[in-house]
Amino acid sequence: MSRPASTVPPGRPKTRRGALTPTLIIVALIVIGFIFFANVWTDVLWYQQLGFFEVFLTENLARMLTFLAGFAVMFLAVFYAIRIAYHARPVYAPDSDVRDNLNRYQAQLEPVRRVVMIGIPILFGLFAGSAAASQWQKVLLFFNQEAFGQNDPQFGLDISFYLMTLPFLGFVTGFLISVTIVAGLAGILTHYLYGSIRIMERGIFTSRAAQIHLAVTGAAFLLLLGINFWLDRYSTVQSNGGRWAGALYTDVNAVIPTKAILAVAAVIVAVLFIVAAVIGKWRLPVIGTAMLVITAILAGGVYPWVIQQFQVRPSEQTLENEYIKRNIAMTRAAYGLDKVQEKRYNATTNATTGALAPDAQTTANIRLLDPNLISDAFSQLEQYRPYYQFPKALNVDRYQIDGKTQDTVIAVRELNPDGLATNQQSWLNRHVVYTHGYGVVAAKGNKFTVDGKPDFLQAGIPSTGALGNDTTYQPRVYFGENSPDYSIVGAPDGAPHREQDRPAAKEGDGETQYTFTGNGGPNVGSFFNKILYAIKFQSSDLMLSDGVNAESQILYDRNPRERVEKVAPYLTVDGNAYPAVVDGRVKWIVDGYTTSPYFPYSQQEQLSAATADSQTAANRTVALPNNSVNYIRNSVKATVDAYDGSVTLYAWDDQDPVLKAWQKVFPTTLKPYTEMSGALMSHVRYPEDLFKVQRELLGRYHVTNPDAFYTNNDAWSVPNDPTVQDEVKQPPYYMSLKMPDQDKPAFQLTSSFIPQVVNGAARNVLYGFLAADSDAGNKKGVKADSYGQLRLLQIPPETQVPGPGQAQNKFNSDPTVSQALNLLRQGASAVLNGNLLTLPVGGGMAYVQPVYLRSTGETSYPTLQRVLVAFGDKIGFAPTLDEALNQLFGGNSGASAGDKANKGQTPAVPTAPGGATPPGGTDAKAELKAALDEANAAIKAGQDALAKGDFATYGDQQKKLAAALQKALQAEAKLETQSAPAPSGTAAPTPSPTPSATAGS
């Protein structure tokens, strides 16, 4: 027997199929698999170290089981659809041309038929499983649901049905419909490929087996469609498609009945398909399907449209009245607005002498430091080294100092590795040496120093002050909002310190080193863990450096918000975590919300839009995700230890059914709030983002009369922030404040309302003022009854109280204020308007705004130089709040501000006995004019020198300008002192001036 001739050309070596390609594929798969394993196992180590492994296990087990269930259902449906169709193929086909074409396709498919029949179901199964796994929270809530004890007004079902049952049933139904469609298409294509379905000149030929297969698939689809129609009845109460949320007149009287009819019709047609499969006649199911389609179009679309257009629209206010009531009541309940204390506030606009006497405690606590402007002051005065930093926006809190509550602006001195010199930017420095920040810095909110700087009550290195020192609290900050991505810390006992701890406090002191002693991260000392984390962070240095030892821990995921989000994935986390010194530790306090978009008859709000303001626009706080919700509760208060990163979750709203359901899912992760210490309780505050959402809704839902709500003629808007150029909402402000119905001040979160803004235009007068009580008390495990109480002052429109925009315009346009501010701006200095606070005091509404001056230069920072106040159409303007209020209220406000003893940057001018004007006082105006003339001359001479390029002369003129400005400020102070009222019990040389429509200078 002869061998076949070789096809290899002469002279060319024979090629052999080598093992290189399979080997490379196997190696690649092993590498990919190990990288995946490294990321998963490091997550396991992270959760185990933190004590929340239950969360990792439960979440991923739920994802896996849901994935497997989705994969299995899709795989089996598609697999058996293809398998049944293949086994039902005919032995022959009568049409030879079609048979030849099919034979050609079948011949090409046959070598890989088994792979295709398995591969296609697997591919669709993977897609289906992934889609199902993303719905794990719906699955867990369904199996662990808690009753609300409140029924919806349409169907009388418990609210939990809509939040926890209906979403799950909708997911399952929608998933099964998708499975049925995919499996049906797979079966049809297989039938066609193997000849059970053929397109012929006489029509479509289907074999008996194919008919039965299609009938069963069609019946399953219609049955699921019927279930979906039935569930859609309940979904109408969650609708947000109309002018108001929920099932309205047309929904109740047209949509819900027709959905029920369509559900029954779909089931009947499904039965007709089964009958057709049995008797082999298709006339009835075809007619039934056509009738179902026509019914869906007429009953599901045309009929509701006719009802809406010709019955509802002409009498909308009357017919929708009942459903508007439902919408108002359910929306207020879903957002916690049903317990708002509303009070009519007949605000006066007349600033009378002594009007602030009843509000003396509020006046003493008015905050002057703007936490958004003084970050640079903190940096210049307290940063000490370039590798430290402070956040762009500081936080407002309160502390008990000498038995009194002191509003405080606070921040932590965090690490900034980017501040290291270029030649110091080594891996060892960034991840082993420079690992943590140091110390809390806090300043009094209502006071400032003589030269306009923050009046610190906690500062310095070492950290000292009213909040403690290095021996009473742990000042090191390893976990913060700006911490490095990862650090390697820890060492065996007796090993030399390698971490830079803190710089020298004064000249002659040495730098100190430190070794982390807590339990803050997974151990990275073993060779195996080094490999895992070297892969995770893509760093060979981590595996090779001698900075990693047997006791080393790796700290990562260090942002407090991110840590809480990882251990409580069911929460929406507030955009602003804030630090507090609690029980000898620096704790980050984080607010967590349970939310849902499924509350019946409740108006949906988009979180990102509702919480947007000038703070989020400037990236000072984190914007919430772009999710729509119609139910929200501040269910969890969380703390993150700044030293070791430990996370503690407290069930704050322990009556929230959604939180109760999640407590069933993760039973060991939450502690009751009764375990919170008194020190921690004293720093709990009402969360900002919840307040922003509530004030957004309250703009419309303060109206509870359905007729007034329908006309929408009393809707409010949150005013724009008048201190910024862009049209963005004014943020809420924390301050200690006594509302009209309170006996003493409380730490509150406040905001104001103006008439509704339409097309960018609105009357900027004040219509409402909202305050949320943020004092939870200071007793261990006891929440103050007043905490969280929302108080709304409704101001009658006829009182014409200026809004924030009007107050700011009044400040900007006042001639005396403009002249003084222009004086401050000389020498290229910038005048910065601080936050504009609104306060219900003196029987009306007062505005307070600090004014900062920032000179040129890289090391400059804002200093507080003046305070603006307004009441009605009158304003005051002085170096201190106390003086400005006295100007405003007829020479004597009746109360003292926190900066009463402070004369600003101008020294006190002595007075003669009896309050007489000191010698030379009559020349104060002349001194002021001379100083201004000197300043103008220096400006002109400096500009001329600059134009000629004579920088030396320009510098001399700038010095002269600064001296002239100082003289002008001193002269201005003399004038203010002369116009001030005489002390009690002494004779004043002239009567106290009455307030005018312009500021005193």
Side-chain angles (χ1 to χ4, degrees):
M1 182 176 179
S2 62
R3 294 182 178 180
S6 175
T7 59
V8 179
R12 180 178 297 179
K14 294 183 179 181
T15 59
R16 293 185 300 172
R17 181 179 296 175
L20 180 60
T21 300
T23 302
L24 290 175
I25 293 174
I26 293 172
V27 170
L29 291 175
I30 292 174
V31 170
I32 293 172
F34 191 75
I35 292 173
F36 175 77
F37 169 79
N39 283 281
V40 172
W41 191 249
T42 51
D43 278 348
V44 170
L45 296 175
W46 188 89
Y47 279 96
Q48 282 183 329
Q49 182 277 325
L50 201 55
F52 284 86
F53 182 66
E54 175 193 37
V55 175
F56 176 85
L57 188 63
T58 302
E59 177 183 346
N60 285 280
L61 190 61
R63 288 181 182 273
M64 289 173 57
L65 292 177
T66 310
F67 173 87
L68 291 175
F71 175 87
V73 171
M74 180 64 82
F75 172 83
L76 292 175
V78 177
F79 175 78
Y80 279 105
I82 294 175
R83 181 181 178 87
I84 291 171
Y86 174 75
H87 286 291
R89 66 192 186 280
V91 178
Y92 64 90
D95 191 315
S96 59
D97 292 336
V98 173
R99 184 176 66 244
D100 290 341
N101 289 330
L102 291 177
N103 286 341
R104 187 160 54 251
Y105 294 142
Q106 293 167 12
Q108 293 175 352
L109 180 63
E110 189 60 29
V112 294
R113 176 178 56 81
R114 294 180 182 276
V115 175
V116 170
M117 292 181 69
I118 295 293
I120 289 179
I122 289 176
L123 181 63
F124 281 105
L126 292 174
F127 284 119
S130 299
S134 65
Q135 305 297 314
W136 66 277
Q137 292 194 9
K138 291 180 180 178
V139 176
L140 290 180
L141 278 180
F142 173 75
F143 287 107
N144 296 276
Q145 58 185 278
E146 278 281 326
F148 272 69
Q150 177 186 0
N151 297 335
D152 81 281
Q154 177 60 35
F155 296 101
L157 299 174
D158 189 88
I159 301 297
S160 62
F161 171 80
Y162 298 96
L163 269 67
M164 304 177 194
T165 299
L166 189 59
F168 173 78
L169 296 179
F171 153 64
V172 172
T173 304
F175 180 81
L176 291 178
I177 288 176
S178 300
V179 169
T180 303
I181 292 173
V182 172
L185 291 174
I188 290 173
L189 290 174
T190 306
H191 279 299
Y192 176 77
L193 184 62
Y194 286 96
S196 297
I197 298 176
R198 296 192 301 276
I199 300 175
M200 305 173 64
E201 292 182 0
R202 299 186 301 273
I204 299 176
F205 166 79
T206 55
S207 67
R208 177 64 177 157
Q211 291 179 5
I212 295 174
H213 190 174
L214 294 177
V216 172
T217 302
F221 173 77
L222 288 166
L223 184 61
L224 291 169
L225 191 63
I227 296 173
N228 196 58
F229 280 136
W230 189 259
L231 294 178
D232 279 348
R233 297 166 61 250
Y234 302 108
S235 299
T236 55
V237 300
Q238 301 169 327
S239 170
N240 271 270
R243 290 182 59 188
W244 308 278
L248 305 179
Y249 182 89
T250 300
D251 297 309
V252 171
N253 294 279
V255 175
I256 292 176
T258 55
K259 292 288 185 182
I261 294 171
L262 289 171
V264 173
V267 173
I268 292 173
V269 177
V271 172
L272 294 178
F273 269 85
I274 298 298
V275 172
V278 174
I279 65 176
K281 294 183 179 180
W282 290 86
R283 184 175 182 180
L284 287 179
V286 169
I287 295 174
T289 301
M291 292 299 297
L292 180 62
V293 172
I294 294 172
T295 304
I297 294 173
L298 295 177
V302 176
Y303 176 60
W305 180 83
V306 171
I307 294 294
Q308 180 67 30
Q309 291 296 115
F310 300 103
Q311 185 174 350
V312 175
R313 283 190 63 182
S315 308
E316 187 175 52
Q317 185 170 355
T318 302
L319 296 180
E320 300 288 20
N321 187 280
E322 177 186 351
Y323 308 105
I324 294 174
K325 280 183 184 177
R326 295 180 180 182
N327 173 248
I328 294 172
M330 298 299 279
T331 298
R332 288 171 63 90
Y335 289 95
L337 303 177
D338 50 345
K339 296 180 176 61
V340 175
Q341 290 184 2
E342 300 180 14
K343 181 178 181 179
R344 183 180 175 89
Y345 186 60
N346 296 310
T348 180
T349 56
N350 296 320
T352 58
T353 302
L356 296 185
D359 301 294
Q361 291 175 293
T362 296
T363 306
N365 286 315
I366 293 175
R367 179 169 52 77
L368 296 173
L369 293 190
D370 184 346
N372 303 319
L373 291 182
I374 63 169
S375 176
D376 287 343
F378 271 49
S379 297
Q380 290 299 322
L381 299 172
E382 286 293 324
Q383 184 170 311
Y384 284 92
R385 293 292 186 272
Y387 52 79
Y388 288 135
Q389 65 179 327
F390 288 98
K392 293 171 63 176
L394 311 187
N395 282 284
V396 179
D397 201 353
R398 71 282 192 201
Y399 286 83
Q400 286 291 320
I401 308 296
D402 298 328
K404 297 181 179 179
T405 300
Q406 173 68 62
D407 279 13
T408 305
V409 177
I410 188 170
V412 293
R413 190 185 289 108
E414 290 201 53
L415 183 67
N416 176 25
D418 294 332
L420 296 172
T422 304
N423 60 356
Q424 290 182 298
Q425 294 284 349
S426 65
W427 181 90
L428 192 71
N429 272 344
R430 291 184 66 92
H431 299 289
V432 177
V433 177
Y434 293 91
T435 59
H436 60 277
Y438 184 90
V440 167
V441 178
K444 298 175 183 178
N446 61 341
K447 297 180 181 179
F448 54 97
T449 65
V450 171
D451 51 355
K453 298 175 183 176
D455 186 359
F456 293 108
L457 55 85
Q458 184 75 27
I461 291 180
S463 181
T464 56
L467 308 187
N469 54 50
D470 286 11
T471 62
T472 60
Y473 87 100
Q474 174 56 263
R476 295 168 183 88
V477 180
Y478 284 88
F479 293 83
E481 295 179 307
N482 297 291
S483 296
D485 52 353
Y486 71 94
S487 293
I488 309 296
V489 299
D493 293 338
H497 300 309
R498 304 196 67 162
E499 299 178 50
Q500 173 70 22
D501 190 28
R502 57 177 172 82
K506 58 184 178 180
E507 187 175 355
D509 287 354
E511 306 277 316
T512 63
Q513 278 70 44
Y514 182 75
T515 298
F516 179 77
T517 59
N519 179 21
N523 181 276
V524 75
S526 68
F527 180 72
F528 183 66
N529 283 3
K530 286 182 184 179
I531 294 176
L532 295 180
Y533 281 103
I535 292 173
K536 181 178 181 66
F537 292 107
Q538 301 178 20
S539 172
S540 59
D541 294 299
L542 196 151
M543 189 167 58
L544 303 174
S545 172
D546 65 349
V548 185
N549 57 67
E551 299 298 323
S552 289
Q553 302 173 41
I554 182 166
L555 313 182
Y556 61 100
D557 289 340
R558 300 161 76 174
N559 186 292
R561 295 182 67 259
E562 293 174 359
R563 289 178 82 79
V564 173
E565 286 173 340
K566 286 190 70 172
V567 302
Y570 52 89
L571 293 178
T572 299
V573 175
D574 191 271
N576 187 17
Y578 61 99
V581 179
V582 176
D583 301 322
R585 313 283 282 201
V586 178
K587 300 277 190 181
W588 293 96
I589 301 176
V590 185
D591 287 285
Y593 310 116
T594 46
T595 60
S596 175
Y598 301 118
F599 201 91
Y601 276 102
S602 178
Q603 192 70 36
Q604 285 200 355
E605 274 294 325
Q606 192 179 62
L607 288 179
S608 60
T611 59
D613 58 20
S614 59
Q615 293 288 82
T616 58
N619 295 319
R620 295 191 183 105
T621 59
V622 179
L624 290 192
N626 192 23
N627 297 336
S628 291
V629 303
N630 63 7
Y631 172 87
I632 186 170
R633 290 289 184 272
N634 178 209
S635 53
V636 172
K637 299 284 187 184
T639 63
V640 178
D641 193 293
Y643 182 72
D644 62 17
S646 56
V647 180
T648 307
L649 305 177
Y650 295 99
W652 184 250
D653 187 352
D654 53 3
Q655 300 305 308
D656 175 28
V658 179
L659 181 64
K660 288 182 179 180
W662 285 116
Q663 284 181 290
K664 286 184 179 180
V665 178
F666 305 111
T668 66
T669 59
L670 285 113
K671 294 182 178 181
Y673 75 83
T674 53
E675 294 187 20
M676 296 174 70
S677 69
L680 179 56
M681 279 283 187
S682 68
H683 292 288
V684 165
R685 66 188 194 186
Y686 201 83
E688 290 182 70
D689 285 331
L690 172 61
F691 185 80
K692 291 182 199 176
V693 172
Q694 288 176 319
R695 72 175 182 176
E696 193 71 21
L697 268 298
L698 204 58
R700 288 189 64 198
Y701 286 89
H702 68 278
V703 178
T704 55
N705 180 283
D707 292 324
F709 191 88
Y710 175 84
T711 58
N712 201 38
N713 58 7
D714 192 24
W716 301 341
S717 291
V718 177
N720 288 332
D721 190 343
T723 66
V724 299
Q725 296 295 324
D726 298 330
E727 292 187 356
V728 288
K729 285 178 284 191
Q730 187 179 41
Y733 296 119
Y734 287 104
M735 66 182 84
S736 288
L737 174 71
K738 187 181 77 170
M739 293 291 280
D741 64 334
Q742 291 181 292
D743 297 328
K744 59 182 181 179
F747 192 65
Q748 318 235 25
L749 184 58
T750 65
S751 186
S752 56
F753 296 98
I754 61 173
Q756 186 178 40
V757 177
V758 180
N759 297 324
R763 293 175 61 231
N764 205 282
V765 294
L766 211 61
Y767 271 21
F769 180 83
L770 180 67
D773 195 315
S774 294
D775 274 338
N778 56 9
K779 296 181 180 179
K780 181 182 185 301
V782 179
K783 188 193 307 183
D785 294 337
S786 60
Y787 173 86
Q789 179 63 62
L790 295 173
R791 293 179 173 88
L792 177 63
L793 301 181
Q794 297 196 28
I795 302 170
E798 61 270 15
T799 59
Q800 297 292 305
V801 175
Q806 281 191 12
Q808 187 68 60
N809 289 335
K810 187 73 174 175
F811 291 155
N812 296 341
S813 60
D814 184 87
T816 306
V817 174
S818 297
Q819 180 182 359
L821 294 183
N822 288 333
L823 178 65
L824 292 174
R825 290 189 183 99
Q826 302 302 325
S829 295
V831 173
L832 306 175
N833 291 324
N835 45 208
L836 183 63
L837 303 181
T838 308
L839 303 98
V841 293
M845 302 300 295
Y847 292 96
V848 176
Q849 183 176 58
V851 179
Y852 291 82
L853 182 66
R854 181 169 191 161
S855 62
T856 56
E858 294 182 359
T859 60
S860 65
Y861 56 88
T863 57
L864 200 158
Q865 296 295 323
R866 293 291 185 272
V867 180
L868 284 160
V869 293
F871 193 97
D873 62 347
K874 300 177 178 63
I875 67 173
F877 182 59
T880 66
L881 173 61
D882 194 69
E883 294 176 56
L885 291 174
N886 284 333
Q887 287 180 12
L888 189 63
F889 290 93
N892 181 10
S893 68
S896 297
D899 64 347
K900 179 181 180 181
N902 191 348
K903 296 301 181 184
Q905 72 173 27
T906 57
V909 179
T911 58
T917 303
T922 55
D923 296 329
K925 290 185 178 180
E927 291 176 11
L928 177 59
K929 183 177 184 304
L932 291 175
D933 290 341
E934 289 180 25
N936 289 329
I939 292 172
K940 183 177 180 181
Q943 291 174 343
D944 292 341
L946 191 62
K948 297 176 182 178
D950 187 353
F951 295 103
T953 302
Y954 175 76
D956 293 337
Q957 294 301 322
Q958 290 299 301
K959 293 178 182 178
K960 292 180 180 180
L961 173 61
L965 292 176
Q966 184 63 32
K967 292 179 183 178
L969 291 171
Q970 291 173 354
E972 182 187 21
K974 289 182 182 181
L975 290 174
E976 290 169 351
T977 304
Q978 293 166 20
S979 64
S984 177
T986 63
T990 56
S992 298
T994 57
S996 64
T998 60
S1001 57

